[in-house]
Structures are given as C-alpha cells and as structure tokens.
Amino acid sequence: MLENKRIKALAFIMILATFIVLVAMDFVSVIGNRTLVYGSTGQDVKTLQSKLKGLGFHKGKADGVYGWETLRSVKWFQDQFGLKNDGVVGASTWAALNKAKPGPVTAQKGGNKTTSNNDVAVLAKMISGEARGEPYIGQVAVGAVIMNRVKDSKFPNTVYGVCFQPGAFDAVRDGQYFSPPSETSLKAARSAISGYDPTYGALYYWNPVTATSKWIWSRRIMLRLGKHVFGI
Amino acid sequence: MRKILIPILTVALVVTGYFAYNQYRMNEDLMRRAESQYQRSFHELVFNVDTINSQLAQTLISSSPEQVMLSLTNLWRESFAASSNLGGIPIAMVELDKTDKLINDIAEYSYYILKSNNLQKQKLAEKEWDKLQEFYERSKVVRNELQSVEAAVLDRDLSFVEVETVVMRRGRDLADNTIVDGFRIIEDKVKAFPDLQFDEGVQKIEPEPRPIAGREISEEEAVAIAKEFMNNHDGPITKAEISFSAEGKIPIFGVRTFKEEQDIPTYIEVTKKGGHVIQMYMQRAIKEANLDFQAAEESAQEFLKEHNLTGMELVDIDTDTNTAVFTFVPTEDQIRLYSDMVKTHVALDNGQIISFDQTSYLAYHHERTIPAPTLTEEKATSSMNTNFDVQQVSLALVPGEFKENQEVLCYEVRGKMKEEKFILFINADTGEDFRIVRLTKPREFEITVR
C-alpha cells in the first residue's frame, strides 16, 4: 500500500514538474529570449522565423519548427551581422535580431546578389564552405587547387567532377557547401578560374590539425597558408 | 492517476515508435540510393577497364589501319569513362596515383597516336606497338583484380556505403574489407611495374620555368620589396612581415602588409631569386562599379607600366558586377606571346588593381627568335569556313599540347558565328586549324551571397 502511494506521489511530482517546465518555456517564449537551436519548436521559433523573414533572410514559412531551412537563415543572418555563425540563437543573436532593421543590410552592401556562371558559383560555394575566415589569398589557393585538379589527368575533368568526388572535400560532406557563398569567395573563385595560382601547382591541401588520412602526409608540402598546408 | 498516465504514455510510445520507424525507413532509402550510384560507377569502371584491355588486344592483332583507328578511338573514350567512374566511388582514402596515371596514359597515348599519325597511310610504328603491348599487360592486371573485387561485391553483397561510412570517415577496417584491399592491391601491382618512358614528343607539356635572373634575396629584403610595392600601390604601410615561404617550381617568400587601422592584410609573393613581386592579393570591400572597361583597362595598363611591363595587349576579360579580370600578353614584333600571360584583377569602383599574377611572365618570358610565317595572312585565312565572320587578325605564338611542338606560330583570327565568338588559331606555316577557342562567356545568372 505504502509502495503504491509512493509511486503515485512520484508520478504526481513528475507530471507537475513537466507542467511547470512547459509553462515556463511558454512564458519565456513570449518574452522571446529562450536559446533556440536546431530542432527547437514553439511560439518563439515562429517569432524568430518571422523576424528573419521581415529582414529578408528567411524564405520559408514561419511554422514554429526550427528546421534545416531556418538553420540556414540563422547562419546567414549571423554571418551578416558579424556573429559566430553557429546557428544557436542566444542572447546576442536575439539582440541583433531586435536591433536589425529590414532593408539596410542589403542596401549597404550594394545588394546581396551578384552575377556568376555555374563554374564560378560551384567553386565559390566550395571555397566558402572550405575556407571561410581564411585570408583572401588562402581562398584563392583553395580554388586554385580545385582548378589544378581539373587540369590534372589524375582527377575528374570538370569543376563539379572534382568538387563532388566522394570524400574529396569536407564541405560537401558536412553540408557547408549547401549555403550561399560569401562575396569574397566569389571573387576568389573568379580569380582561380582565370588562372591565378598562389600555390604554384598544388593538388592537395589539408588542415594539419584535423587531417585524418595518413597518406596525405606523404605529399610534398609546398606552403602553409592560414590554417591549411598545400602540397603536390 | 494511473488510469490517465498509462494511456498517455502508451500514446507517446506509439507516436515515438512510429516517428523512429519512419526516420529509419527514410535513412535506409537514402542509403540504398547512394549505394546504387556507387554500384553503377563501380560496375561501369570494371566494364571500362575490360573494354580497354580488349581494345588494346584488338589494336595489337589488327593489320588494317581503319580498324586500328577505330580501336584507338574506343580506347580514348573508354579510358576517359574509366577515370570518371573511378572518381565516382568512395575510395578517396586509398592512394591510387599509379592506377590513375595508367588509365590516363592510355587515354593520352591513344589520343597522341590518333592526332599525330596519318593512320590511313601507315601502320603503327614499332615503338608505338611496344607501348600498346605494355599497356595491355598492365591493364590486364588491373582488370583481373577489379573482376575479383566485382565477384566478391556481387556474391557477398558488399556495400560501398559501408566503405564510405566506416573506412573513409572513421578510418577503421570493415570485417570484410575486400573492396578497399582490392584497390590497394591494384595500386601495389601497378606500382610494381617500372615507370613507362615516353618519347619527349608524347609528353603533354608543362614547360619548365626559365631560371629567374638575379641573386638570392633574404627575408628582410623580401619584406622591404613588398613594403615598397604596397607603399606605391595602396598608400603608407604600417607593418610588413614574412607570412610563409614556398618551395614550389618558383620559390617565393609570402609577405603580408598592413595599412593603418586595417586588420585585413594584403599578401605579396616575392621570388626568392631576383626579388620580383610575382603575385599580390588585396582584400577590401568593393563599392558599386562606376568605371567602364576602357577606363579599367587603362588603369590596368598604367599599373603594368609602373612595373616595367610594357607592350602588353589585352586578350581576355572576365567580369562580375564590380570587378574584372584582365589578361594581358606581351608582344614581340607584333606577335602575341601567349605563354607569357599577366593577369590583373581590377576593382571597378576606383580602378585599383586588387590582385595581380605575373607567374607565367616571369617563368617563360624571354627574347625569342621567331621565324617569319611561311604563309601570308591572306593565304592563311583564304580557305576559312564562310560561316565565320572575321573581325580581327594578328600573329600569335601559342603553346602546343605536346613537347614536340612547344610553341607554334599562328594567325590568331577573332570572329564570330552568329552570336558565338571564337578565336581560330591557324598554323602560320601549314594553314591548318591549330586550335579553336570559344570566347563566348558561359551564361551568368544572379546568385545570392551572404
């Protein structure tokens, strides 16, 4: 009998706790500073989405589900406003969202659209995914390695062939490739396609800190640029 | 209490279970789709290599020139497909240099024979026959090994997705590691053969850079050179330091310079020999374009003159909304020297050169003695296709494809057919079309940037 009572009490406490948490979350979501991450749902996600939409960063629906599309929009927003683009909507991102006014971002930058052909676009997305945050010369270098591969007989003969070779580039695997390229990376891509090559013929580059393949180290290293080393 | 709790929990469990099952099904579905792509590439690869092998055999036994030509064409096509299919399977973690090279050598050699021999009249030369014999032996080894792997893949339902997820990503071996081991064995066996020596003529050219004049400079001198360069180009430099050093074909020091109140550096590459500024990369925000191409070209020419690059002719423009890459070549006796290109990337807001690359110029430019063309301009262009509307003709020295014709004197004929723009390079001695280059730029479209 006592056992039974204890279980009942426990269950009651748990339900109460859940209830309190839910209510609290709802309450927080109203004032809008709960930290949102990929997978979050609720009224505040809706608020986030409509704010992003108003600012021109979100094209999808404001459905209250923090999904893939929302993640992309948040990262893009964070990137534009100099925040860490981790997709986590914390205090700083909320503050930036509340401060941002629709329009001026795009107007300031002279329109966040530019023109490109398909080769340049693919290359730019790749550079953006692989070498964002690297100095410009490092971005051209990554593009040049891809172009050197296109020219080299050991690799596929097109930009896409090289970029989408299974396992060749991390950016394709972890999905960083699948978001808009930065303006700098587009310039870097154009330079690389017209033949600029700061690496003088490198076919490989890797990050010495994170490289997993052992054989990559058998390559002759030609230079170190930013966080990458380049070799043949 | 329990009366409410149990149904709620049951419903929650069912919903979770359904959700998980759905996720699992979707995941399986995606994996199967990836697997079928990989399987296709792999089986096609085996087929390609088998065809290469049999076409080589056919070439070796055939005595009719037409048949040989057909086989060589097939060889060229199949080896191309083989390379592409090899690039389509997830084995990036296995070193396949020699295997790749073998497939590629077959492609290039058959292309070379096709291009250089007039097979209608003559048979394969002795040394060509020997080379094909070598290819045959080697490709047989690759084919046999690939077929063993294929048999295992079919018999034991080996999965390339597993290779990808376990071996490639996590670096661990599979319990049945036949696929990966098979490719390793192929590479080892191909490696065991001695390197094939090709005639000078057959090798695709990658001409050796000419030694750069001047003495070896020190790091300090490189910094000083870069600093002076940027002082003239972009105003006072507050800080300059060595950033990297490279020992490639042209050894260089990489220097970065900073301007006051600017934390994004400009990178300048200075050759260790002679201390030439060979490349430069500035990074800055570029405002709206307000220069036309003519003004931009003038600005680029001005920049080249400042750096003693005179007599340069503009041969190509590649542009986006607010920058343009101009490619220039030097001339000698009004002959354009295409091997010695210089590239400048111009910001169209104020005409500043934001990057610059004179690697080819430094590596290849020298005084040449170019013999006068055998054919006159009228003669060379007289037999041209009437669909081609000629707009401009000049003389050009063009790098060839193979070592035996390193540089070829051509008439460079620019013109168009309907809206398509081309350059036709016509051999100035034989009157044959040496190369056709399409100038029409690929279609540009709007793209969102962040």
Side-chain angles (χ1 to χ4, degrees):
Chain A
M1 229 29 216
L2 198 73
E3 285 284 284
N4 223 339
K5 253 189 188 164
R6 198 181 274 172
I7 290 170
K8 268 187 190 168
L10 204 68
F12 182 70
I13 288 167
M14 276 175 70
I15 288 173
L16 197 69
T18 319
F19 182 72
I20 288 169
V21 168
L22 282 172
V23 168
M25 266 165 60
D26 235 24
F27 180 65
V28 171
S29 77
V30 170
I31 52 172
N33 58 2
R34 181 168 69 123
T35 297
L36 300 178
V37 291
Y38 180 80
S40 301
T41 52
Q43 194 57 43
D44 45 357
V45 177
K46 249 185 203 171
T47 313
L48 168 71
Q49 286 167 329
S50 47
K51 269 190 193 291
L52 286 169
K53 216 170 162 167
L55 294 166
F57 288 92
H58 191 63
K59 291 195 192 71
K61 278 185 289 186
D63 54 3
V65 180
Y66 192 135
W68 180 73
E69 242 181 313
T70 314
L71 181 67
R72 203 173 55 175
S73 309
V74 169
K75 283 190 173 181
W76 181 17
F77 173 82
Q78 289 173 327
D79 226 68
Q80 285 283 316
F81 282 79
L83 300 157
K84 193 175 162 214
N85 71 334
D86 51 5
V88 178
V89 185
S92 55
T93 307
W94 275 119
L97 271 166
N98 288 329
K99 243 186 358 201
K101 287 179 199 81
V105 187
T106 47
Q108 262 169 17
K109 291 223 158 191
N112 56 350
K113 286 221 174 228
T114 182
T115 56
S116 146
N117 62 53
N118 51 358
D119 276 2
V120 174
V122 169
L123 195 57
K125 282 159 88 80
M126 200 61 167
I127 292 172
S128 203
E130 287 270 314
R132 192 166 349 103
E134 290 287 294
Y136 182 66
I137 187 175
Q139 300 194 18
V140 179
V142 164
V145 166
I146 294 172
M147 292 315 291
N148 288 338
R149 286 190 178 191
V150 173
K151 281 176 230 147
D152 192 279
S153 47
K154 293 199 297 270
F155 292 92
N157 304 307
T158 58
V159 174
Y160 346 100
V162 168
C163 288
F164 295 117
Q165 203 175 4
F169 296 101
D170 282 343
V172 173
R173 199 184 76 193
D174 63 22
Q176 299 225 47
Y177 171 88
F178 300 96
S179 52
S182 69
E183 195 159 354
T184 317
S185 69
L186 265 164
K187 301 264 181 274
R190 206 168 280 277
S191 283
I193 282 189
S194 19
Y196 279 85
D197 181 8
T199 71
Y200 302 91
L203 287 173
Y204 297 89
Y205 66 87
W206 63 99
N207 183 336
V209 186
T210 57
T212 45
S213 303
K214 269 165 266 153
W215 67 270
I216 195 83
W217 288 104
S218 68
R219 299 283 151 194
R220 191 162 70 86
I221 295 178
M222 296 200 301
L223 74 154
R224 240 164 234 274
L225 232 174
K227 64 175 199 269
H228 290 132
V229 294
F230 294 81
I232 42 171
Chain B
M1 199 71 209
R2 195 181 283 175
K3 266 184 196 157
I4 320 164
L5 205 60
I6 289 174
I8 288 177
L9 284 176
T10 317
V11 168
L13 189 70
V14 169
V15 169
T16 318
Y18 178 73
F19 177 74
Y21 176 67
N22 248 341
Q23 290 289 313
Y24 166 79
R25 283 232 333 235
M26 265 162 61
N27 190 27
E28 285 287 291
D29 191 46
L30 275 174
M31 294 235 294
R32 271 196 298 272
R33 266 187 260 173
E35 184 66 44
S36 54
Q37 290 273 354
Y38 292 152
Q39 293 273 344
R40 195 193 76 175
S41 295
F42 175 70
H43 289 298
E44 282 194 353
L45 170 69
V46 184
F47 172 80
N48 297 142
V49 174
D50 188 39
T51 315
I52 288 172
N53 194 245
S54 67
Q55 290 292 335
L56 281 164
Q58 276 190 37
T59 317
L60 291 171
I61 58 160
S62 170
S63 54
S64 99
E66 287 81 15
Q67 191 57 47
V68 169
M69 211 153 132
L70 199 65
S71 294
L72 286 171
T73 318
N74 278 336
L75 270 179
W76 187 41
R77 195 184 61 184
E78 288 295 330
S79 33
F80 239 79
S83 269
S84 150
N85 283 322
L86 186 58
I89 42 181
I91 40 156
M93 64 294 175
V94 181
E95 190 179 346
L96 286 172
D97 269 21
K98 295 282 174 192
T99 313
D100 278 325
K101 187 172 183 309
L102 174 65
I103 294 173
N104 187 63
D105 281 349
I106 295 173
E108 272 179 14
Y109 199 71
S110 40
Y111 174 70
Y112 169 74
I113 304 179
L114 276 172
K115 214 181 165 195
S116 60
N117 287 29
N118 192 345
L119 284 168
Q120 301 291 3
K121 289 183 206 124
Q122 64 188 57
K123 284 186 176 179
L124 288 179
E126 183 81 12
K127 56 179 183 191
E128 289 167 344
W129 203 88
D130 285 350
K131 215 55 94 189
L132 293 176
Q133 176 85 29
E134 274 292 335
F135 283 145
Y136 172 73
E137 293 302 330
R138 292 171 191 211
S139 65
K140 194 163 68 185
V141 171
V142 177
R143 182 203 58 187
N144 291 348
E145 217 50 61
L146 276 176
Q147 283 177 341
S148 318
V149 177
E150 188 178 39
V153 167
L154 290 172
D155 182 40
R156 304 205 286 274
D157 281 322
L158 302 181
S159 151
F160 284 90
V161 169
E162 259 180 32
V163 169
E164 184 182 15
T165 49
V166 178
V167 188
M168 194 158 91
R169 295 207 188 155
R170 273 177 255 152
R172 273 190 276 144
D173 277 354
L174 285 165
D176 187 341
N177 213 25
T178 312
I179 295 176
V180 177
D181 290 342
F183 278 100
R184 286 195 182 122
I185 291 168
I186 290 170
E187 177 73 4
D188 285 346
K189 288 199 170 168
V190 178
K191 243 186 207 161
F193 284 106
D195 272 343
L196 273 180
Q197 295 301 319
F198 291 100
D199 297 345
E200 278 277 286
V202 188
Q203 284 165 35
K204 284 257 175 144
I205 52 161
E206 171 71 30
E208 278 297 303
R210 305 172 62 81
I212 293 169
R215 60 177 181 85
E216 294 280 335
I217 58 160
S218 66
E219 288 194 358
E220 291 73 31
E221 282 172 298
V223 171
I225 289 164
K227 202 169 172 180
E228 198 201 323
F229 183 93
M230 284 313 287
N231 270 330
N232 293 332
H233 184 58
D234 192 39
I237 294 302
T238 51
K239 197 172 93 179
E241 62 196 15
I242 290 283
S243 163
F244 58 92
S245 155
E247 298 297 339
K249 277 181 210 133
I250 301 177
I252 53 113
F253 287 118
V255 183
R256 51 179 186 183
T257 63
F258 293 86
K259 262 173 84 169
E260 196 149 359
E261 286 171 20
Q262 202 178 54
D263 49 359
I264 300 173
T266 294
Y267 284 80
I268 294 134
E269 296 189 340
V270 183
T271 57
K272 289 188 181 174
K273 243 183 133 211
H276 302 275
V277 171
I278 181 167
Q279 295 187 18
M280 181 269 293
Y281 296 91
M282 274 176 82
Q283 185 179 353
R284 67 164 172 86
I286 293 152
K287 294 184 207 79
E288 220 161 299
N290 57 36
L291 290 182
D292 58 13
F293 284 154
Q294 202 179 343
E297 189 201 334
E298 273 164 25
S299 166
Q301 283 281 17
E302 191 64 32
F303 174 86
L304 295 178
K305 260 192 216 113
E306 276 167 32
H307 298 97
N308 296 325
L309 295 163
T310 48
M312 306 296 280
E313 283 188 18
L314 180 65
V315 291
D316 188 40
I317 305 174
D318 189 15
T319 179
D320 58 28
T321 38
N322 54 9
T323 64
V325 181
F326 290 88
T327 304
F328 293 92
V329 296
T331 51
E332 187 179 310
D333 302 330
Q334 280 147 29
I335 300 169
R336 294 175 168 185
L337 308 172
Y338 267 89
S339 305
D340 313 353
M341 288 184 185
V342 174
K343 286 167 189 300
T344 57
H345 201 159
V346 185
L348 297 177
D349 55 355
N350 62 3
Q352 190 181 38
I353 309 303
I354 51 170
S355 65
F356 161 65
D357 183 346
Q358 62 155 331
T359 309
S360 304
Y361 187 88
L362 279 178
Y364 305 122
H365 189 60
H366 62 287
E367 285 248 329
R368 294 162 166 92
T369 38
I370 307 166
T374 322
L375 301 175
T376 60
E377 186 184 315
E378 289 72 38
K379 186 96 194 215
T381 53
S382 61
S383 58
M384 264 180 29
N385 196 315
T386 46
N387 286 330
F388 192 60
D389 173 15
V390 177
Q391 292 171 322
Q392 191 200 352
V393 185
S394 42
L395 271 170
L397 199 64
V398 186
E401 257 183 308
F402 299 109
K403 259 198 181 149
E404 56 186 13
N405 55 0
Q406 272 209 6
E407 287 188 320
V408 180
L409 184 63
C410 292
Y411 283 105
E412 172 187 337
V413 186
R414 289 182 180 235
K416 58 182 186 180
M417 190 206 73
K418 293 189 179 141
E419 67 283 347
E420 291 277 348
K421 290 185 184 166
F422 290 100
I423 308 181
L424 265 174
F425 289 104
I426 300 172
N427 191 314
D429 293 323
T430 64
E432 282 167 5
D433 286 357
F434 178 70
R435 190 170 298 157
I436 302 176
V437 179
R438 184 178 178 225
L439 278 187
T440 313
K441 297 286 176 202
R443 198 172 79 90
E444 298 265 325
F445 48 84
E446 276 210 323
I447 180 166
T448 308
V449 294
R450 53 176 168 194

